[in-house]
Amino acid sequence: MRTAITFAFILLLAGCTGMSRAMTYTQKTHHVNMGDISYRVFEHPKEDVIMTTPPIGGAMTSGFFKGLTLGLANITPPEKIHEAAARKYLDENGRAHCRIVSGYLVMEPQYEFKYDCSTPPEGYDPTENKKTDT
């Protein structure tokens, strides 16, 4: 019993940490369509970091199924899909020359991606404002 309470407390703290990080982002929500799903994208006002998350309904459904199956079923979209949404956001907002440096799970289902605009990605052609095949 004591172990279960300690474990629950650790999970609560971990959730609060992710939530406090999410609260540092701008409150303006950007939407990026990835197929038939519109991901929400938030940009950090002082850091070169963006956070992606699926629509609220999708996030709630994922959490429900994970809880219902005691964590055995996870329908959260993989990091690769979140990174594609982050990339599309940068492309659509005049930053096609930026490259994504790293990404990680902040708190299910939110991912955070650090980007760098000082060095264009390989194959970037500024005259076309898009990547070229090389």
Side-chain angles (χ1 to χ4, degrees):
M1 180 69 170
R2 183 182 226 171
T3 304
I5 292 172
T6 302
F7 183 69
F9 182 70
I10 290 170
L11 287 177
L12 177 66
L13 287 178
C16 290
T17 301
M19 196 61 148
S20 66
R21 176 68 181 155
M23 297 306 290
T24 65
Y25 281 80
T26 60
Q27 297 305 309
K28 183 174 182 191
T29 305
H30 304 274
H31 295 276
V32 174
N33 291 323
M34 301 296 293
D36 59 347
I37 298 174
S38 180
Y39 279 76
R40 294 174 296 146
V41 179
F42 302 90
E43 190 159 358
H44 196 282
K46 296 179 183 173
E47 300 174 25
D48 292 336
V49 179
I50 52 180
M51 181 173 46
T52 61
T53 184
I56 293 172
M60 289 179 6
T61 301
S62 175
F64 172 76
F65 279 112
K66 189 171 182 181
L68 185 65
T69 61
L70 302 176
L72 297 175
N74 188 358
I75 59 170
T76 301
E79 182 177 346
K80 182 170 43 172
I81 304 278
H82 283 267
E83 184 173 348
R87 172 79 264 153
K88 188 171 183 182
Y89 169 78
L90 291 172
D91 292 348
E92 290 177 352
N93 287 278
R95 290 179 273 178
H97 65 284
C98 300
R99 63 187 178 86
I100 294 177
V101 178
S102 62
Y104 59 92
L105 180 67
V106 175
M107 170 177 125
E108 264 190 40
Q110 299 169 341
Y111 280 86
E112 193 170 69
F113 296 94
K114 174 125 179 82
Y115 62 91
D116 177 23
C117 296
S118 63
T119 308
E122 188 176 319
Y124 174 72
D125 182 355
T127 61
E128 295 181 23
N129 197 25
K130 65 179 181 178
K131 285 180 139 183
T132 58
D133 293 330
T134 54

